[in-house]
Amino acid sequence: MSWTMGAQVCPEVAQIADLRPQESTRFNPDRLEQLCLRVGEVQAEAAVALALHRSTESLPTLGRLMAAEPVNFPVTVEQIAMDAELMGMASLARAARDVIVCFATSNNVALAATMARLSRVGDRSVNAVWEMDDGTY
């Protein structure tokens, strides 16, 4: 693919690499097992469903939330981290906590990078749970 500027090709743009970071998501099934033992399978399933719902609803809105309601932003990201821990999604919990640290320290470059990572890990983590073959948590 080449980019054109008027009738001329812009070689600077043609040399930009398209990077697609791939990182694995860590899942800790022991967390779900502990939850089932603590509250029972039915309540554990309901808790996981609620946590998945909150994460699925919150993750795509974080950028707008940070701009419109910066006071509520870290609260929402912390909820994502707690929900991720509940479900055993270690990578998602870690990414969310990294976002909170960058936000709290006003490190905007790191915040942009960790927000992008949170989005990638969040999508991959939530999809992994929805794609479980046997449908159990």
Side-chain angles (χ1 to χ4, degrees):
M1 174 183 218
S2 64
W3 293 82
T4 59
M5 292 178 61
Q8 299 176 345
V9 172
C10 181
E12 293 82 17
V13 174
Q15 294 179 11
I16 295 175
D18 184 18
L19 302 176
R20 297 181 191 268
Q22 295 292 322
E23 52 190 307
S24 62
T25 55
R26 289 181 298 149
F27 179 72
N28 182 356
D30 293 341
R31 290 291 222 168
L32 291 179
E33 187 176 329
Q34 291 168 0
L35 179 63
C36 286
L37 292 173
R38 194 171 68 244
V39 299
E41 192 172 330
V42 172
Q43 284 186 334
E45 188 172 333
V48 169
L50 178 60
L52 273 174
H53 175 75
R54 278 194 302 246
S55 296
T56 302
E57 294 289 316
S58 297
L59 283 165
T61 66
L62 289 177
R64 288 187 303 270
L65 181 65
M66 183 173 49
E69 300 177 46
V71 172
N72 293 328
F73 176 76
V75 174
T76 302
V77 177
E78 180 61 30
Q79 184 65 57
I80 291 170
M82 291 186 313
D83 286 341
E85 285 182 355
L86 174 80
M87 295 181 286
M89 297 177 174
S91 299
L92 181 58
R94 173 72 186 262
R97 294 243 158 72
D98 289 345
V99 166
I100 293 168
V101 169
C102 294
F103 181 79
T105 59
S106 300
N107 186 338
N108 293 331
V109 173
L111 179 59
T114 55
M115 287 281 289
R117 180 170 177 253
L118 178 59
S119 177
R120 286 191 310 272
V121 172
D123 288 345
R124 200 167 296 124
S125 296
V126 169
N127 287 335
V129 171
W130 286 122
E131 293 173 357
M132 290 178 130
D133 289 338
D134 62 355
T136 61
Y137 300 104

